Amino acid sequence: MGRLRIQSSIKAIEEEPEDCETTSSNKTAIACMVNSEVSAVLAVMRRNVRWGGRYVSGDDQLEHSLIQSLKTLRKQIFSWQHQWQTISPALYLQPFLDVIRSDETGAPITGVALSSVFKILTLDFLDHNTVNVENAMHSVVDAVTSCRFEVTDPASEEVVLMKILQVLLACMRSKASVMLSNQHVCTIVNTCFRVVHQAGSKSELLQQTARHTMHELVRCIFSHLPEVDDMQQSIVRRGSSTKNKVVDLDNEYSFNKSENGTGTSEYDSQPLSGTFTSSASTGLLNSVIDEGMVMNDNGKDNVPNDLHLMTEPYGVPCMVEIFHFLCSLLNVVEHIGMGPRANTTSFDEDVPLFALCLINSAIELGGPAIHSHPRLLSLVQDELFQNLMIFGLSMSPVILSTVCSIVLNLYQHLHTELKLQLEAFLSCVVLRLAQSRYGASYQQQEVAMEALVDFCRQKSFMVEMYANLDCDITCTNVFEELANLLSKSAFPVNSPLSAMNILALDGLIAVIQGMAERISNGCRSQQNPINLEDHAPFWMVECDSYSDPDHWVPFVRRRKHIKRRLMIGADHFNRDPKKGLEFLQGTYLLPEKLDPQSVACFFRFTAGLDKNLVGDFLGNHDEFCIQVLHEFAGTFDFEDMNLDIALRLFLETFRLPGESQKIARVLEAFSERYYEQSPQILANKDAALLLSYSLIMLNTDQHNVQVKKKMTEEDFIRNNRNINGGNDLPREYLSELYHSICNNEIRTTPEQSAGFAEMNPSRWIDLMHKSKKTSPYIVCDSRAYLDHDMFATMSGPTIAAISVVFDHAEHEDVYKTCIDGFLAVAKISACHHLEDVLDDLVVSLCKFTTLLNPSLVEEPVLAFGDDAKARMATVTVFTIANEYGDFIRTGWRNILDCILRLHKLGLLPARVTSDAADDSEAPSDTGHGKSLPNSLSSAHLQSIGTPRRSSGLMGRFSQLLSLDTEEPRSQPTEQQLAAHQRTLQTIQKCRIDSIFTESKFLLADSLLQLARALIWAAGRSQKGSSSPEDEDTAVFCLELLIAITLNNRDRIRLLWQGVYEHIASIVHSTVMPCALIEKAIFGLLRICLRLLPYKENLADELLRSLQLVLKLDARVADAYCEQITQEVSRLVKANATHIRSQMGWRTITLLLSITARHPEASEAGFDALVFIMSDGAHLSPANYVLCIDAARNFAESRVGPADRPARAVDLMAGSVASLACWSKDTREALAETEAVKLSQDIGDMWLRLVQGLRKVSLDQREVRNHALLSLQMCLKGDHEIYLPNSVWLQCFDMVIFTMLDDLIELASQKDYRNMEETLVLALKLLAKVFHQLLHELSQLTTFCKLWLGVLNRMEKCMKVKVRGKKSEKLQELVPELLKNTLTIMKSKGVLVKRSALGGDSLWELTWLHVNNIVPSLQSEVFPDNDSENVQPDPVFSETNPNE
């Protein structure tokens, strides 16, 4: 049971196919070897006088039996015909073993015999298939472990001891070792340890050899533990109690017995007899042998079963024995009366260190398999770990280091079984020793810190500590404490950087990098908030599955949330208990109506409570408080626990009140709970109460300095007579209690939860009780389930610690370590969307770039090149900006400050301010299909901008090499050139341009913050002094802002408001031409040019922004008018089809109109207008009136070519075709109502057109005649525009009559050239239009008024004087036109004499005016004025429905 598996690969020799010759040869060779060993032993024996002669026995002379058996073996070995595996090894081993056992042989003879046995054991033929190999191996072990020899000199004795070790180790390494029993393996180890024990007074060689052999034996034995059959039931027959000890063996195989199987004493020593204990040893080691290895006898009934296990082939039982033995070596501290505080370097560290090294080897090799064997696991959990806690506080750095190594190995192999033990070790050892405030030496601190860093390098250690301990309300926050310790320890305090600081930094970065690595395995950044919506007992929360992350991840996060709320509640409780409980009720951690159990569990499981307040509450006489007290006592587990230990644990959780009544209530509740769980000795709970009182009194008596006469043991026993139900308690029991209290005070005023408590026996017992009930250990895989919460806790101190170390560091390897940490922090922050953390990191890093510091050096570029720390920090900052820019917010300002500094130094590549479309896109001219060159080329900007320093990497380099300065400069040195080269390489690594060219991939929030940072930086420069550098900075920021705006055209709405307001502020604050206003204006135009094709829904806002150009100061506008116009022209040509709103066109035409009076800009402006209006290509109802007004402005302008006014008039006149087209389309496509509405709009547009031409017809220049001809063309009726009569009436009143009136007035007042011809054209226009519309207009009621207006203008023309005299042409033309008009009116029946009813007003008024102009016309037109032919006047008889 629990034995080693025999390897199936080992086969019997006779099964292997071999030819006869080979077999014969092997047999002969082995026989020769054995024969030579026999010869060697005989040769040594013959050198001794005792063995050289013959012994006399009676009358016969016989050889000694030892020599005889050797000679007999020599005779037989060559006669054996069988395979050596088929021959019992006892036949050829026994003669040698007899020599070893004999006490008559000297050390040389015994040594040779041992060497012979060693050689035979190492032969390959001796394995588990060999006949009787089991008995042979047992015989070898028995003989060697009971070896006797005469000591002739110390050297020969040491040789024999070393050979004994050699043979024992060979037994364990032999293939046949699987046949050894558990007893024999234990005996081998025991014998080896006795040699180690004796070697203390012998040579260093023997000491080291013995220790090495012991080490190898343990490694050899425990390396087979993973191969042992998993049959646990036969190993743990005594039950599962962790207090069971390992079995007691019979005298032959016991570690602690001194007798061998022959019945003669192994240690019967004479002066010259060689035994293992013939030499004296130190007192301490004697105590180890005499006390440390004693094993408890658990009863005779168990011995037969145990012996049966121990005689089986070796396996778990012997390993349990050996492991327990090794642990018992550590108990020597207790046996010689030393506590942990006395464990100083004056104590011989040899034995515990030796034991610890052996234990470490056993765990290294058998660690994973210990989990499968409860007895071994129990030893590790309890006895071993308790000793590790003690030796962990050793003053010896060597012991402490070994202890930490063991715990690390245990964590690797058994962490799932050691949850609370690991918590205790980390809290009570590592965290205590790693901090100087607990009195640890520097060596202890360093070893503890090294151990902590080793733990941190285990990828899942910190996250498992967080999940299992920090998120458990009954455990301490180990992760938080460790992280804080590492952060604090990394800080150099008023001193240079020390090895301890670097060590702590390594641990901190190991934790961070572990998190960063887990991100790539699956980042769960979605952290749902935890809300406790109703009350549930927080101490009873369970997880459905501790192995399924879908279950345990939300479970531990919820439990951590509860723990945090409990800590806050504890803080409230400490200030005001009532408000504290109310707070917990408000957060659903306590029920709305308080119950005793909930409050008791709050007191029991919440750390940080004021123990004085808890004690007062529990001791209160209020009924509810008494119920809480009993529930509180019910939370303790006192099973199988001594009364004093139980009382210590109980009173550690609160301060025992001082009033006797309160004490009585508290002890009564305790006694009731204790008797309920541990009634073994006590008769009833009253006995428990009385004895508890007695212990409190004894504790006060023994440890109160004011008590002079102390209670004796007899007094204590006498005071407790007859309390156990009328009987006495066992004297030994009371004596044990008495000494426990005397030696270790019960603290009735426990320390508040500050710092880390020291582990004591009672706390350890409590820990072992808790370990049976604690929740299962959660194993965390390589995914980032809890890293968000963990990192949020430690990020601030971590960044600060790494920053301080980086600041103080002087070596590049430390720089590199810090940079790795910074990048890991950035990666984690980005993954878990911790923007504030990333901003803090960026702020911290930017300080190290030295770019934000005022330049105090002559050549900052060279200084930067010589500063490795600054260069590494700079690359890191921009690496973070490029890779994790999505999650940078306020940090953009600091990054931008670094960029601006590099810009001032001329170190930025020129492509930084470019946008992605510069190289990949070029909007095409939609009108003509030709691509347009970029309007804001770098050459163009340089030509119109203020001179700028040479920028770019090579520009700065050329400055370094230039000699064109006022004072001649020396050539740069090689060091300067190298520094400059390093600077250039650093900037190239930064990829600064990618931040802006790749900004289209930034998340919206980050992009917005980047834009705001640019605006902030530019505005800061504007507000400061107006130095060229500040202006250059503002220009550069604006360039970057424009670049990211263009790169993010799909998200222009996000950026537009800020960009517009910034440009507007520049426009409003600038009164003189400068590079900044230039960049603002042309940047705005460039944005519009590039974005209009893609953002039609934003077109109005973009075009409205161009109104800023109209608000430019006159000096600024004049300076850039031509270039602005060119840009607007390009904008129109590229995007005319995308401008659809009237508001947009108003802005465009307004800009073009302004250029009409600017000599340089008018050509480009008119060119854009021609593009819009030619052939009506881009005319629309939205822009028609605006374009007409703009064209009129150009027609009236006196700048530009002489033919431009006429061309402008032609554009106006030509636009009537568009009106005709729209009118036709309207009638065909739209419904009646819509058609009427649009017809009215077309009429208004036509009216605006002819009004524009009317205004041009008043021009001083001869373009007025051209305008009149164009007006006449527009007034013709052949353009198919449907115009209602009302529009024509408006046309006569507002256009024709007004025009004639103005012309007549001009003719009489101004001496314009060809004014006479103009009047002629105007009169003809009047007559033609009147004739054309006579039929329609004559139907109107207002026709008479209209006709009188015509006559009135003709009369004025007859009277007008041009250049001081009447015009002959007009004198001729007016009568002719009037006659023609009257004739037409007569022919159409408009002008006829009618009946006198109502008066013939039209007829009379006509001739009244005509007679004033040409009196003879009436007789010419109406020669026969027959009064009989009188017709009714239609004007008065009916009304035209079209009026």
Side-chain angles (χ1 to χ4, degrees), residues 12-307:
I13 293 178
E14 55 267 25
E15 294 178 359
E16 298 177 2
E18 293 182 353
D19 54 48
C20 296
E21 293 183 6
T22 304
T23 302
S24 175
S25 173
N26 287 341
K27 286 193 295 183
T28 305
I30 295 172
C32 291
M33 185 276 294
V34 175
N35 181 62
S36 65
E37 295 305 317
V38 172
S39 301
V41 174
L42 288 174
V44 176
M45 294 179 72
R46 290 188 182 110
R47 288 166 54 185
N48 192 301
V49 175
R50 178 188 299 178
W51 307 99
R54 296 181 182 277
Y55 284 92
V56 177
S57 177
D59 297 331
D60 299 325
Q61 291 184 336
L62 300 172
E63 287 185 320
H64 192 279
S65 59
L66 295 178
I67 294 179
Q68 190 174 14
S69 64
L70 288 168
K71 289 185 176 180
T72 302
L73 176 60
R74 176 182 278 179
K75 292 178 183 177
Q76 293 175 346
I77 53 177
F78 290 106
S79 62
W80 290 336
Q81 299 299 321
H82 300 288
Q83 297 275 346
W84 277 85
Q85 274 194 320
T86 62
I87 300 170
S88 174
L91 294 177
Y92 48 85
L93 283 174
Q94 195 59 46
F96 299 102
L97 299 180
D98 291 341
V99 172
I100 294 170
R101 284 177 178 271
S102 174
D103 55 2
E104 300 177 12
T105 55
I109 297 172
T110 304
V112 174
L114 287 166
S115 296
S116 300
V117 173
F118 172 74
K119 181 179 281 189
I120 293 171
L121 287 175
T122 57
L123 295 177
D124 288 338
F125 65 83
L126 201 64
D127 58 26
H128 69 279
N129 292 318
T130 304
V131 175
N132 285 334
V133 69
E134 183 175 358
N135 292 333
M137 294 299 291
H138 292 177
S139 298
V140 171
V141 174
D142 292 342
V144 175
T145 55
S146 60
C147 171
R148 285 177 168 77
F149 58 93
E150 293 181 353
V151 178
T152 55
D153 60 89
S156 60
E157 179 188 5
E158 292 188 14
V159 170
V160 173
L161 293 176
M162 291 177 68
K163 290 188 176 182
I164 288 173
L165 297 172
Q166 195 177 36
V167 173
L168 292 178
L169 184 57
C171 286
M172 290 307 305
R173 286 179 170 173
S174 169
K175 293 178 181 179
S177 64
V178 294
M179 307 309 295
L180 290 172
S181 69
N182 287 305
Q183 292 173 337
H184 284 91
V185 172
C186 291
T187 303
I188 290 173
V189 175
N190 190 20
T191 303
C192 187
F193 182 75
R194 291 178 184 275
V195 175
V196 173
H197 169 53
Q198 288 193 42
S201 59
K202 301 188 183 298
S203 69
E204 182 70 19
L205 177 61
L206 179 61
Q207 293 180 38
Q208 296 303 322
T209 303
R211 288 171 181 269
H212 175 72
T213 305
M214 186 76 177
H215 198 87
E216 290 301 310
L217 279 175
V218 171
R219 289 179 60 84
C220 185
I221 294 167
F222 280 89
S223 66
H224 293 294
L225 182 59
E227 304 169 9
V228 173
D229 290 333
D230 190 17
M231 302 176 69
Q232 303 172 0
Q233 62 274 16
S234 64
I235 303 173
V236 286
R237 292 175 184 268
R238 300 184 190 177
S240 60
S241 172
T242 59
K243 297 177 68 71
N244 285 348
K245 302 295 181 180
V246 292
V247 298
D248 184 18
L249 308 180
D250 64 2
N251 290 347
E252 184 175 3
Y253 301 108
S254 172
F255 276 111
N256 61 307
K257 306 301 181 183
S258 59
E259 312 226 321
N260 59 26
T262 63
T264 60
S265 174
E266 184 180 355
Y267 300 104
D268 290 342
S269 60
Q270 297 178 1
L272 297 179
S273 296
T275 66
F276 294 152
T277 58
S278 62
S279 301
S281 61
T282 64
L284 175 63
L285 289 176
N286 276 327
S287 72
V288 174
I289 299 298
D290 298 337
E291 301 181 29
M293 298 186 298
V294 174
M295 302 182 200
N296 296 332
D297 187 358
N298 290 298
K300 294 181 180 179
D301 294 340
N302 290 325
V303 172
N305 288 334
D306 293 332
L307 288 176

